[in-house]
Amino acid sequence: MPSQTPMPTRNPRPTKTPRSRQAPDASQTPLYIQPPISRQLRCYAIDPSLAQRFETAPISETVLRIPWESVEPGPVDEYLEVIDYDPSSQCFYEPVCLDDPYLLAQDGLPPSEGTPQFHQQMAYGVARLTIQNFERALGRRAVWSPGPSLDPDEPKNDANYVQRLRIYPHALQEANAYYSPAKKALLFGYFPASSDAPGDHVPGSIVFSCLSHDIVAHETTHALLDGVHRRLGHATNPDMLAFHEAFADIVALFQHFTFPDILYHQIATSRGDIRQHETMLGQLAGQFGRATGRRSALRDAIGTFNPETNRWEPHKADPAEYEQTFEPHDRGAILVAAVFDAFLAIYGARVADLVRLVTGGTGVLPAGDIHPDLVKRLADEASKAAGHVLTMCVRALDYCPPVDLTFGEYLRAIVTADVDLIPDDDHGYRVSFVDAFRARGLYPRDLRTLSVENLIWRRPQIDPYKPSAALVKIFGDLREFGNDQLYAKTRRDLFFQARSMRAELHKQLRNHFLRLPKKAASEDRLFLGLDPVPESSFEVHSLDFSSRVGPDGDLLLQAIVQITQTVRLSGDGDHPERVPFEGGCTLVVDLEQQKIRYCIRKPVTSKTRAARQSEFRNQFAVASTRSTYFGDPATYSEPFALLHRS
C-alpha cells in the first residue's frame, strides 16, 4: 500500500555548489548578455527499455527544450520542487544542480538508470515540458489547486496557496505512481521486474517509474487538471474518473510526437502508416507494462497484443464497448482511442497529396524502405497534426461544465473551443473528431444529429432562459480585471487576485439576485444552473482569464467563470441518507465585446440527472468497485493512489 507517512519537505543536509561552479549572479551579468530562451535537458525518449534493444538504441535518448529559469539544487524552480527521499531506505539522495556550468555545457546529466540525480533531472524535465504545453494551449499560467484549509473552523477555505508541486522520484517501493491531491505531490515507485516475463529486463532488475516519460507526463497532467477543474475528481458518473485517466494519457501520448528522432524512426519503420503497424507512438508506458509481466505496453491507443494469435492487432471501433465497460482505465482507453482515431484521420488527410505524388496516384507505396525525404515530410506533418490535436484537447477544458462531465460533453467542448478560435476548418479537424467519437459511441445522448453546428454549445441568444441585461453587465465588466490577471507579475499574485475577484463577483451576484424582483431573479439563477430561490447559497468556484492567438493572428481574450452549487437530496431505499448533488455552469465571457458567449449549464434542478447519479451509486455499490469510484473515509483524499494501484 502507498505510504501514508507525511513526505519530507526538504533535504536536512543541503549541499552547496562550489563557488567556482555556481551560475553567475544575474545582477552582475553585463547588459549585453541576455539569458537563454530555453534550457536543454537530456532524457530517455520514452523509457530506458529502448536503450536495451539494438534497433532502438540510437533513438533511446532525446533532448527536452523547456523554458529557461534559474533553478536551485533539487531541481527547484517556480513550479516544481524535486525532493529525493526514499522512505524504504530512509535516506536522501544528493540533489542535482542543473545550473552547474558543467551540466549546462552538456545539457544535463547523461541518461542513466543507476544515477538518482538523473532520475531527478528526467522527472523534472518531463513535468516542466508538460506544464509548458498546458500553458500554451490554455493561454495562461498554470496554478496548482489550493492546499488544505489552514483554518480548522473553515474546512472549505481555499486560501492556502501552493507554489510548487513536489516530486518524489523514489517514494514507493511498488509498481505504482500517482498524484496526491492531499500532499500536492507526484509520488513515483520502483519495483523488481517480473521473473516470468520481464520483457527487456533481467528478471528481478529494478524498474523506476520516474524514468518513463509517459508515467511522469501522466501524473503531472493529473495535477494540472486538478488545478483547472477540481471537481472532475468527484465520481458522479462512470465517465468522471475515466476522463481523468484518459486525459492524462492523451497528453502523454501526443507528447511523443515532439521527439524528432523517435518520430522519424517510427514513421520510417511503419512506412508512414501508423494505423496498421505497431509503433511506440501510440503506446504508453511500454517498459512498465512489460516489466510487470505483460507482453505489451501498459496501454495502447491503436492496437494490442493478441495472446491467441501471438500477434499485434489494431483496435476496431465498437460502439457497444462504451456501454459495457466501466473500469476507469478501460473506459478511459475508449476516449483515448477516439482522439487518436481523429488524429490519424487528420494526419492521413495532411499527407494524402504527398502519397499521391510519390505513388503516381495509386496510393500504394512500393515495397522496401521509403525515401528519407518522404519520411521527413511525413514526420513533419505528423508532428504538426499531433500538436494541433493536443492543443484542441487541452483548450477544450475551458468549455467543459464544472461538474458531472461526460465524454459526449467533452466532444462538444472540443468542437466549440475550436470554432471560437478558428472559424474556418480547412483541414476537417472538427469533422474528424465527430466521426471518431461517433464510431465509438461517445456522443451526447440529448442531440438528434451530430453535425458540427449542432454540437456547438448553445449561445445565450437562443437559450430558453434569457439572462437579464444587469446580469450580462456584471460579467461584461470583468474586462476591468482582465489586465490585472493577464499581466500579473507572479503566479502567487495570480492566485490571490483571482480569489479576490471571485469574492467580489460573488458579492455582486448575491446582491443582484436580492435586488431583482423574485421572478426575474429566479430566471437569472436558472440561466446559471442554480436553484431558483434567490436566497439559496452558491459559489463562484473559479475565475480565470485567457489570451489565445488564432492561426490568422486574431487575439481572443476571455474570462472563464465556474459557478457551482451543492444541494442535499433525499436518498433512496438502499441509501436513505441525504446525498450531495452538484450543479452550476461554466461561463465563457468575451472580454472584447463584453458579453456572455456561452453558458455551459448543468442545472442543480435537473431531476433526470439526479436520478442518473442515484442509479450510478446503486449500480456500483459492491465493495470493490464502490471503493474504486467513491473511496472510503480513510482513502478519499488519495483517489489516484487507489485508482492507479488497481
Side-chain angles (χ1 to χ4, degrees):
M1 285 294 290
S3 173
Q4 297 301 316
T5 304
M7 299 302 294
T9 58
R10 64 182 179 86
N11 190 334
R13 303 187 303 275
T15 58
K16 294 185 178 180
T17 305
R19 184 180 299 276
S20 61
R21 294 172 61 183
Q22 287 181 345
D25 186 352
S27 63
Q28 300 177 3
T29 304
L31 294 177
Y32 58 84
I33 299 180
Q34 298 298 318
I37 297 175
S38 63
R39 180 190 296 274
Q40 299 192 154
L41 290 177
R42 299 158 74 179
C43 74
Y44 288 117
I46 292 183
D47 58 46
S49 66
L50 299 189
Q52 313 303 323
R53 288 178 275 167
F54 180 79
E55 67 273 15
T56 58
I59 60 166
S60 62
E61 300 179 15
T62 191
V63 177
L64 304 180
R65 295 176 63 92
I66 60 177
W68 171 266
E69 62 177 295
S70 295
V71 298
E72 298 175 8
V76 179
D77 71 359
E78 168 66 20
Y79 293 82
L80 302 168
E81 178 180 12
V82 179
I83 302 171
D84 204 354
Y85 175 73
D86 186 345
S88 63
S89 58
Q90 297 184 348
C91 73
F92 283 91
Y93 294 107
E94 180 180 355
V96 65
C97 179
L98 296 181
D99 278 354
D100 185 306
Y102 292 171
L103 294 187
L104 287 172
Q106 57 180 320
D107 298 335
L109 291 167
S112 169
E113 289 188 81
T115 306
Q117 288 70 33
F118 174 73
H119 298 190
Q120 301 161 13
Q121 172 180 302
M122 178 155 178
Y124 166 78
V126 174
R128 194 64 185 84
L129 175 68
T130 308
I131 295 170
Q132 178 185 6
N133 289 333
F134 238 76
E135 292 186 329
R136 183 183 296 122
L138 287 180
R140 59 180 180 271
R141 281 174 285 182
V143 178
W144 310 118
S145 63
S149 174
L150 300 176
D151 186 348
D153 295 330
E154 295 185 30
K156 294 186 178 181
N157 189 314
D158 60 359
N160 186 3
Y161 170 65
V162 177
Q163 179 182 357
R164 299 183 179 96
L165 179 73
R166 292 172 179 160
I167 299 177
Y168 296 93
H170 307 104
L172 311 167
Q173 196 171 0
E174 63 172 283
N176 195 5
Y178 64 92
Y179 160 62
S180 167
K183 297 182 175 76
K184 293 294 180 289
L186 309 182
L187 284 73
F188 296 98
Y190 61 93
F191 61 97
S194 169
S195 58
D196 297 330
D200 305 310
H201 299 81
V202 175
S205 61
I206 301 301
V207 177
F208 297 94
S209 63
C210 66
L211 295 183
S212 166
H213 160 271
D214 300 336
I215 293 177
V216 176
H218 179 102
E219 303 309 332
T220 306
T221 302
H222 276 310
L224 288 163
L225 192 53
D226 188 38
V228 176
H229 274 279
R230 278 179 272 162
R231 278 184 162 84
L232 283 184
H234 296 187
T236 55
N237 67 58
D239 286 353
M240 290 287 277
L241 289 183
F243 177 81
H244 237 290
E245 290 300 315
F247 189 82
D249 280 351
I250 289 168
V251 173
L253 190 69
F254 284 104
Q255 283 191 176
H256 288 175
F257 292 84
T258 64
F259 303 150
D261 291 343
I262 197 168
L263 176 59
Y264 185 96
H265 178 274
Q266 293 294 286
I267 291 291
T269 302
S270 64
R271 304 178 76 248
D273 190 354
I274 307 173
R275 184 185 296 275
Q276 296 300 325
H277 295 83
E278 181 180 12
T279 71
M280 290 175 284
L281 298 174
Q283 296 177 344
L284 288 164
Q287 179 195 40
F288 189 99
R290 289 186 290 271
T292 51
R294 298 176 176 87
R295 290 180 176 268
S296 61
L298 186 63
R299 289 191 282 281
D300 196 324
I302 307 176
T304 188
F305 178 84
N306 188 334
E308 296 181 359
T309 62
N310 207 35
R311 297 178 60 184
W312 181 90
E313 297 176 358
H315 283 308
K316 295 182 180 179
D318 180 8
E321 187 179 10
Y322 174 64
E323 301 293 340
Q324 300 167 358
T325 305
F326 298 100
E327 195 282 326
H329 293 95
D330 294 340
R331 193 175 180 88
I334 302 172
L335 176 60
V336 177
V339 172
F340 207 83
D341 285 348
F343 158 73
L344 290 174
I346 293 166
Y347 164 69
R350 291 183 69 100
V351 302
D353 57 342
L354 292 173
V355 175
R356 284 194 298 270
L357 286 170
V358 172
T359 62
T362 66
V364 180
L365 291 168
D369 295 340
I370 58 179
H371 196 281
D373 288 346
L374 178 60
V375 174
K376 184 178 184 306
R377 285 296 311 278
L378 293 175
D380 288 344
E381 292 298 331
S383 180
K384 289 178 184 177
H388 293 159
V389 168
L390 177 58
T391 300
M392 289 173 69
C393 290
V394 176
R395 192 169 58 222
L397 293 177
D398 283 346
Y399 291 74
C400 291
V403 298
D404 202 29
L405 176 68
T406 65
F407 290 170
E409 290 166 342
Y410 182 58
L411 173 62
R412 300 191 71 174
I414 292 173
V415 170
T416 308
D418 198 60
V419 167
D420 252 14
L421 190 62
I422 309 170
D424 298 324
D425 189 19
D426 297 335
H427 292 285
Y429 281 27
R430 297 193 279 268
V431 175
S432 299
F433 269 91
V434 175
D435 190 41
F437 276 60
R438 180 198 296 115
R440 296 187 181 272
L442 311 182
Y443 50 82
R445 299 307 194 229
D446 57 346
L447 295 181
R448 294 183 178 179
T449 63
L450 283 184
S451 65
V452 170
E453 294 76 14
N454 210 31
L455 283 167
I456 298 172
W457 288 117
R458 182 184 296 150
R459 299 192 179 186
Q461 295 87 334
I462 57 174
D463 198 299
Y465 299 110
K466 300 298 180 184
S468 66
L471 182 67
V472 173
K473 185 177 186 305
I474 288 175
F475 291 106
D477 288 345
L478 289 173
R479 179 177 181 178
E480 299 177 9
F481 300 107
N483 287 337
D484 293 338
Q485 278 273 295
L486 292 172
Y487 302 107
K489 292 183 179 180
T490 67
R491 292 167 59 246
R492 183 183 183 86
D493 292 342
L494 193 69
F495 176 85
F496 284 106
Q497 285 175 6
R499 193 168 184 275
S500 175
M501 284 184 283
R502 282 163 43 208
E504 177 61 27
L505 179 59
H506 182 275
K507 178 181 177 181
Q508 292 183 21
L509 289 174
R510 184 187 58 196
N511 292 339
H512 168 74
F513 295 142
L514 295 176
R515 188 167 51 244
L516 281 182
K518 187 173 182 179
K519 182 179 179 181
S522 296
E523 290 180 354
D524 276 358
R525 290 178 68 94
L526 289 172
F527 172 75
L528 298 175
L530 305 177
D531 188 300
V533 178
E535 295 81 8
S536 61
S537 62
F538 63 93
E539 175 187 6
V540 179
H541 183 65
S542 68
L543 173 57
D544 296 299
F545 292 85
S546 67
S547 174
R548 304 187 181 103
V549 180
D552 298 328
D554 298 329
L555 182 64
L556 189 63
L557 297 176
Q558 293 178 328
I560 313 298
V561 186
Q562 291 184 348
I563 299 175
T564 58
Q565 185 177 40
T566 302
V567 298
R568 291 277 176 176
L569 301 179
S570 299
D572 51 29
D574 295 331
H575 301 281
E577 70 275 8
R578 294 177 65 85
V579 295
F581 181 64
E582 298 175 328
C585 69
T586 296
L587 293 165
V588 180
V589 182
D590 187 325
L591 296 180
E592 288 295 323
Q593 301 184 26
Q594 295 184 276
K595 67 178 184 180
I596 299 173
R597 195 164 181 84
Y598 302 102
C599 179
I600 304 159
R601 187 168 51 239
K602 276 299 184 82
V604 77
T605 56
S606 173
K607 294 182 179 179
T608 303
R609 193 165 62 87
R612 283 200 301 264
Q613 285 193 22
S614 177
E615 181 184 359
F616 170 67
R617 295 183 69 90
N618 291 333
Q619 185 178 359
F620 297 98
V622 294
S624 59
T625 312
R626 181 179 175 84
S627 65
T628 299
Y629 278 96
F630 304 114
D632 55 57
T635 61
Y636 188 74
S637 62
E638 299 291 3
F640 302 107
L642 183 65
L643 187 62
H644 286 190
R645 192 168 182 267
S646 66

